[in-house]
Amino acid sequence: MNPVHRALLWSVALMGVAVASIFELVPTDLANTLIIVLPALMIATTPRAARCCSLRAKA
């Protein structure tokens, strides 16, 4: 999957959590936790070759 598409999917998930929190569909504590955890999960699940800093690490 293209890194841009992967990032867009993760951003849609994060925006969904934020919108659900605004409309009180998700408890505030859970929404705050997800807003912290989702970016970390995105970084952890992104293949090393698809990360933007991987080019600098090879050089």
Side-chain angles (χ1 to χ4, degrees):
M1 179 181 285
N2 186 347
V4 174
H5 290 132
R6 185 179 296 116
L8 284 173
L9 288 173
W10 280 106
S11 65
V12 167
L14 200 56
M15 291 298 291
V17 170
V19 169
S21 175
I22 290 170
F23 290 113
E24 297 178 359
L25 300 173
V26 176
T28 306
D29 294 338
L30 177 62
N32 290 339
T33 303
L34 285 173
I35 288 173
I36 292 170
V37 169
L38 279 177
L41 189 61
M42 178 189 76
I43 293 169
T45 59
T46 301
R48 197 173 287 267
R51 295 181 191 159
C52 33
C53 58
S54 65
L55 295 176
R56 283 185 268 164
K58 292 179 183 176

